[in-house]
Every structure is written in C-alpha cells, then in structure tokens.
Amino acid sequence: MGEEEKQGAKETEQSQNSSESSSGESSLRRIIESITSLISLSYSIKIFAAKWKTIRTKLEDLNSGLVAVQNCEASENPAVSGIVSNTWKTVNECHDLARRCVDLSYSGKLLMQSDLDMLSARLDLHARNLSEVYNAGVLTRRFAIVVSRPGNGACRDDMRFYVRDLMTRMKIGDAEMKRLALLNLHEAVVEDDKYVKVVVEHSVIVHLLISFLDFSHEVEIQELAAKIVSVISGFRSYKVVLIEAGIIAPLIRVLECGSEVGKEEAAKSLQRLTENSDNGWSISAHGGVTALLKLCSGGDGGEIRSELVGPACGALKNLVGVEEIKRFMVEGGVISTFIRLTRSKDEVLQINSIEFLQNIASGDEAIRIMVAKEGGIRALVRVLEPRSVACSCKVRETALRAIENLSFWNASSISVLIKYGFVDQLMFFLRNGEVSIQELALKVAIRMCGKSEEANKAMGDANFMTELVNFLDSKSFEVREMAAEALSNMVSVPKNRKRFVQDDRNMRLLLQRFDPEQVNSGNTKPLFSILMSLTSCNGGRRKIAHSGYLKNIEKLAEDQVSDAKKLVKKLSTNRFRSMLSGIWR
C-alpha cells in the first residue's frame, strides 16, 4: 500500500472514530435530557407518591452519574456504551409508566405497583454498574477547565450549573479533586445563602456529604463535609432534609472518632438539629447523648476546649426536655459536670452550662435539691461576684435568672443564698449595674422579698429600701411599679417600717408621689399599701399627718379613691384615740 493510500485509510479510521465518539456523546446528552424531563414530570404524579419519590431520588442519582460520564473521555469505553444503551430502555419504560400514572390509564393498581418496583430495581442496577466503571479507574477525566463560581446576582441556572460541576468532581474525582470541590462548595454556601438551597435541592449532594463524613482516612475531606453540613443545619427549613437523609449517625461517628475540627462542626450541627426535641430519640438511639456527655466531662482524656464543648453543652441543653433522656443524663453524673463548667472563662460555655442546670432542674424538686447539694447555687453566686472582671454582663444576667429559678422555691433555699452573700451582690447590681442587669436585679429583689421574712430582714439590713425609693422616680412605669411592690413587701416587717420612717428622705420621696403635679404618678395602689403599713407605727402616722402632702391624699379621698379614703379614716381614728388618751391623762 502506497503512502497516499495509508494516509487515506488513517483519515477514514479517524473519521469513523470521531463519528462514533460524536454519536456516543450525542446519545449520552439525549439520555441526560430525557431523565431531566422525567424528573420534572414525576412531580406532577399524584398516585403512588411514595414510590415515585423513591424513583425520583434514584433518577437524580443516575443522572448525576451520567453527567459525570459526560465529563470524561468515555465515548470509546464499551462498558459505558452498554450501560447507556440499557439505561435508554429503562428510561423509555419509565416515561411510559409516568404518563400512565398521570393519566390514570393503567389497568390495575397491583400490577402498576409491581411494575414500579421492577423499575426501581433496574435503576439501582444501572447506578451500580456506573459506580463499578468509576471504581475500575478506566475513565480519563477531562477537568482541565474548572468552572468559575458565578458572580453576585447570578441567575439560579448558572448557580445550579456550577454546583453540578462540583458534584461531578466530588463523585468521580480522586481525593485531591474531591477536596478542592468541597472547599469551593463550602466557600459558596458560606458567602451566599442561595447556594444552600441549590445544594439541598440536589439530594445526591446531600448523600455525598453524608458519605464523606465517614471518610475517616481522608481527614480534610471529612472536615470540609462536616463544615458544609454545619452551615446547612443552620437553616430551619433544611434540617428535615438532613434528618431524612440519615445525617444523625454519621455526625455522631465524627463526634466520637473525628479530628478536632470535625468534632467541632459535628457538635454545632447536633446543637442546631436538637433545637427540635423530636430528633432527641434518634440522637439517643445512636449513642449521641453518651458521646456528648463524654466531651463535656473531658472523658476522652484531652483538654476541654470551649469551641467544642460549647456546642456539645448546647445540644445536651436542648435534649433535657425529653424526660427519659434527662434521667439518663442525671444518672451519668451530668449535674457535677455542668457545675464545673460554670467556672469556664468562655462566655458561650458559661451561658450554656448555666442554662443547662436551669433547664434540667425546671419543675423538678429532686434535681433542684441535687444541684444545691453538689454546690450549684454556690457556683452561680460566684459567677455573680462583682470583683470578677472575667464575667460579662450577659453571663451575670443568665446566672441571676438561674438563681431565681433554682433557689426561690422555698425559704430554706433562700437562707442558703443569704448565707452566700447574695443580698450584697443584688444591692451592688441595683446601684452599679448596666440598665439591663439593674432591671433584672430589681425583679429578682421583688420576688425574693416576697418569699420569706428572713429575706425581707436581710434586705432591710442591707439598706435596700433607700435604693428602692430612688426607683420610684424612674422614667419607666414598669420600674416604678416594681420598686413600689418591693417596698410594700419590705415595710410589712416591723423592723423595716421603723428603719424606713426614721429616714426623713425616704418619707419625703414617698409622699411626693402623691403630688398631683408629679408627671410620673402612675398607679398609686402599691404606694397606698406602703403608707397603710407605715401608719402601724407612731412615727409613721405622725410624719404622714404633719406632711404637706396630706391634703393631696385627702383630696383623693374626696374624689372617692377607695385606698385614699381608707388611709384618711385610719389616720383620723388614730388622732381621735390620741385625743382621748390625752384627756384621760
């Protein structure tokens, strides 16, 4: 054969190969378009909904596999050609079944259910055959051109195209390609929430992320997958997608055996997923409660890291609402563990641990007693220590609320608080606290002085009444009401009445509240209650009767204000008795 003939034969062979290759790529493109159309059609099928949902998931998985093949030099691979040919037949049959279900033109339900089950099995077989081709390593990747992430304001289709490209790399790429794809996906979902929705719409990607959580031999791949899952779990509407996909067990395995970064991200995800307590049983069933308790107690022998223990505490705090899980925690020594964590220097960890103790003891007297016996109340009082610069205002507010909920349920627990110096701390925050903690301290003071006479006496000794009188002039109606209520409780104790009356300033500021020109007069009922108590001692009656404000009270009595009438009557009765006493003497 001459040179010209050889060259001609070579060109003919290349042309045939090119034609075959083009034909193969064309068939692949058509089948991908057909499956995409089928997936859209499946959403309009109302009958056999559960079976079609399963089939749709398998179609999406198969479609992503074929897209992956399209991104490889696969046209000359006979195994791929055979899979494409067989898949065509199944897809055509699927179209036929879908149309009959939409039109309700099938001959019988049992027969259609059987046909759908057989279809589902064949789709599984095609996906498995594709995976075997990938795993055999016979496909040559052509990923030289990396798709760039669309810019801000890109349309949804461009975003989907970008995510599909990353999905392909995650599915058939080597470890390095998977790592880079995950890295790009993580950057996308962190920087733009819209990508989170695109990811969740592709159930295949969610399942890929779950499989990567078990990629323990490739630490960075596992960490990146955990980070992406953590971002998705922060969206309330997408949590159910993760739960239904089976995310709980892999997250707990990462929590038990993963790297430090992986554990942190898994703990964050579990904290977010447990905000719905319905997920508690699933976490408990997979050993998640034990794993979380171990982290919080430092049971793995490592140093307690707030970045990890903080979200673990948060997850356990969310689970105490399930009674059986709460009992399991208590039996596991969780109370002492969390009392110890209240001494942490990390704000988030402190707040989570304090709120945990408050939640676990809520409405449970036995656990409240246990918290007190193991030093929980004392630990909370230490958190409030004014000289401590390490505690933030937010931590102190949390501790104040916890003390109120854990210690105000009987007189003996309040006695313990008084012994620990809580009254002095409360006074400090009333005088020097920021507005938020000052108002909270006032609320706590009101509740405390209404609980026991011992508390009333202790607060009187600490000069609370002088501070409370100052609050009667507050611009806030609520604060004025709270201060008056607290004073009313405190002057019910004889010793406090005497102390109050002896301070002329206290009496003057109180009586000024009855001046008609006072713009902050508000509700006078608690103020009359205070005056009625003060008339029980001679000094109080005398100072009220000789004050320039008595005429204001008498004017209110004339206007038929019942509390004013009662007060004037009592003062008049006492004056009459004094006159009789003088005559007899």
Side-chain angles (χ1 to χ4, degrees):
M1 182 183 293
E3 286 299 322
E4 291 183 2
E5 291 177 340
K6 288 181 181 180
Q7 182 66 28
K10 187 175 181 180
E11 288 176 357
T12 300
E13 183 180 354
Q14 287 177 346
S15 176
Q16 289 174 345
N17 289 341
S18 175
S19 176
E20 289 173 3
S21 175
S22 176
S23 174
E25 289 180 4
S26 177
S27 297
L28 199 54
R29 187 166 54 254
R30 286 201 309 274
I31 194 171
I32 289 170
E33 290 172 355
S34 182
I35 292 176
T36 302
S37 169
L38 191 52
I39 291 169
S40 298
L41 177 62
S42 69
Y43 283 101
S44 61
I45 301 174
K46 305 303 180 186
I47 198 163
F48 308 116
K51 289 187 181 295
W52 275 106
K53 183 179 180 181
T54 302
I55 290 170
R56 182 164 55 249
T57 300
K58 293 179 180 181
L59 284 169
E60 288 172 346
D61 189 32
L62 182 61
N63 198 49
S64 69
L66 292 169
V67 170
V69 170
Q70 198 177 29
N71 282 289
C72 298
E73 300 289 355
S75 57
E76 297 179 11
N77 189 293
V80 172
S81 300
I83 292 170
V84 170
S85 176
N86 292 331
T87 302
W88 251 124
K89 296 174 185 175
T90 303
V91 169
N92 287 331
E93 182 182 342
C94 189
H95 265 289
D96 179 57
L97 293 175
R99 278 192 296 271
R100 282 197 276 155
C101 284
V102 170
D103 300 336
L104 301 179
S105 58
Y106 50 86
S107 54
K109 284 190 175 182
L110 291 177
L111 181 59
M112 177 56 73
Q113 286 177 339
S114 175
D115 288 343
L116 292 176
D117 288 338
M118 291 172 62
L119 172 67
S120 185
R122 281 203 294 277
L123 291 173
D124 277 336
L125 177 63
H126 298 323
R128 198 159 51 245
N129 289 339
L130 272 178
S131 293
E132 288 173 1
V133 173
Y134 296 146
N135 296 335
V138 297
L139 302 182
T140 304
R141 293 183 298 276
R142 55 182 184 196
F143 285 119
I145 300 176
V146 179
V147 177
S148 299
R149 176 145 58 100
N152 293 334
C155 68
R156 183 62 60 87
D157 286 341
D158 287 346
M159 296 170 74
R160 284 176 179 152
F161 181 78
Y162 176 68
V163 170
R164 277 199 300 269
D165 181 70
L166 295 179
M167 178 183 68
T168 301
R169 295 166 190 278
M170 286 189 281
K171 191 157 188 175
I172 68 168
D174 55 20
E176 177 60 14
M177 191 172 290
K178 285 180 169 66
R179 186 190 71 79
L180 289 173
L182 286 165
L183 184 63
N184 288 333
L185 185 60
H186 178 247
E187 289 175 354
V189 296
V190 167
E191 293 174 16
D192 191 339
D193 294 352
K194 296 191 207 62
Y195 278 102
V196 178
K197 185 175 183 180
V198 174
V199 168
V200 172
E201 286 173 349
H202 286 75
S203 60
V204 176
I205 300 182
V206 174
H207 286 94
L208 278 172
L209 292 172
I210 290 173
S211 69
F212 290 149
L213 291 177
D214 288 326
F215 234 75
S216 55
H217 58 287
E218 292 290 347
V219 174
E220 197 170 355
I221 287 177
Q222 184 186 70
E223 289 175 353
L224 286 166
K227 286 180 178 179
I228 296 169
V229 169
S230 177
V231 173
I232 296 172
S233 68
F235 292 81
R236 180 177 297 180
S237 54
Y238 302 145
K239 290 177 185 177
V240 66
V241 176
L242 294 175
I243 294 295
E244 289 179 352
I247 196 70
I248 297 293
L251 283 174
I252 292 170
R253 282 194 290 274
V254 174
L255 203 63
E256 293 172 328
C257 309
S259 66
E260 290 301 304
V261 172
K263 287 179 179 179
E264 284 176 28
E265 299 301 331
K268 288 177 188 174
S269 294
L270 289 171
Q271 180 180 10
R272 291 162 182 158
L273 294 172
T274 52
E275 287 171 1
N276 179 352
S277 58
D278 292 344
N279 300 327
W281 283 115
S282 177
I283 289 170
S284 178
H286 289 95
V289 177
T290 301
L292 290 165
L293 286 171
K294 186 177 179 182
L295 282 178
C296 292
S297 63
D300 57 2
E303 180 185 351
I304 291 181
R305 297 172 59 252
S306 58
E307 299 88 353
L308 172 57
V309 179
C313 283
L316 290 172
K317 181 184 71 176
N318 293 337
L319 292 173
V320 294
V322 182
E323 187 64 26
E324 291 81 357
I325 295 177
K326 180 174 81 171
R327 295 296 163 194
F328 176 78
M329 291 183 195
V330 172
E331 290 168 7
V334 74
I335 302 296
S336 58
T337 295
F338 275 78
I339 290 173
R340 205 162 51 245
L341 290 173
T342 61
R343 297 194 289 268
S344 169
K345 290 182 173 58
D346 180 80
E347 179 182 293
V348 173
L349 185 49
Q350 266 192 306
I351 289 173
N352 275 333
S353 58
I354 292 169
E355 288 180 343
F356 176 89
L357 291 171
Q358 179 179 326
N359 291 0
I360 200 168
S362 177
D364 195 316
E365 184 176 338
I367 295 182
R368 279 198 295 255
I369 292 171
M370 190 181 299
V371 170
K373 281 185 176 178
E374 296 196 23
I377 306 303
R378 189 164 195 170
L380 291 173
V381 172
R382 282 176 179 162
V383 170
L384 289 173
E385 174 55 53
R387 288 171 295 183
S388 173
V389 294
C391 281
S392 67
C393 182
K394 190 174 180 180
V395 171
R396 288 196 171 109
E397 286 178 30
T398 307
L400 260 179
R401 291 191 186 95
I403 287 173
E404 181 183 7
N405 291 323
L406 290 171
S407 304
F408 284 13
W409 55 285
N410 65 18
S412 62
S413 62
I414 290 179
S415 294
V416 172
L417 269 182
I418 294 170
K419 184 179 72 174
Y420 290 150
F422 178 67
V423 171
D424 292 333
Q425 291 180 336
L426 211 52
M427 172 59 81
F428 175 85
F429 292 121
L430 271 179
R431 286 175 172 169
N432 309 296
E434 296 178 22
V435 173
S436 58
I437 198 167
Q438 194 177 50
E439 290 191 9
L440 181 57
L442 180 57
K443 290 177 182 177
V444 172
I446 291 168
R447 191 169 173 214
M448 186 173 180
C449 68
K451 286 293 180 180
S452 75
E453 187 168 329
E454 182 186 3
N456 267 325
K457 289 177 180 177
M459 292 171 71
D461 293 340
N463 208 23
F464 261 75
M465 290 185 295
T466 299
E467 294 302 318
L468 291 171
V469 167
N470 292 334
F471 282 113
L472 292 177
D473 198 34
S474 170
K475 292 181 180 179
S476 166
F477 174 79
E478 184 184 9
V479 170
R480 295 197 306 274
E481 290 286 285
M482 289 191 294
E485 185 182 341
L487 276 173
S488 180
N489 285 327
M490 292 192 68
V491 296
S492 65
V493 176
K495 184 180 178 182
N496 287 343
R497 280 200 297 271
K498 185 177 180 180
R499 181 183 281 116
F500 188 93
V501 169
Q502 286 173 345
D503 190 327
D504 290 337
R505 178 178 175 275
N506 284 348
M507 292 298 295
R508 185 180 71 256
L509 291 175
L510 173 63
L511 289 166
Q512 281 176 357
R513 297 297 97 212
F514 295 93
D515 189 337
E517 295 181 4
Q518 287 286 338
V519 293
N520 289 335
S521 56
N523 180 16
T524 56
K525 192 172 185 64
L527 299 176
F528 275 116
S529 175
I530 297 169
L531 288 180
M532 287 292 284
S533 292
L534 295 179
T535 59
S536 300
C537 67
N538 293 329
R541 288 194 303 272
R542 191 164 49 250
K543 287 191 176 183
I544 296 170
H546 292 99
S547 74
Y549 297 98
L550 180 60
K551 61 180 182 298
N552 295 328
I553 297 171
E554 291 173 338
K555 175 73 167 58
L556 290 171
E558 291 171 7
D559 293 338
Q560 301 302 310
V561 175
S562 60
D563 289 322
K565 289 169 70 176
K566 290 176 186 176
L567 182 61
V568 170
K569 184 177 179 181
K570 188 169 183 181
L571 288 169
S572 300
T573 303
N574 285 326
R575 281 203 301 272
F576 180 67
R577 285 177 182 167
S578 298
M579 288 170 61
L580 286 177
S581 176
I583 292 170
W584 285 110
R585 281 200 295 271

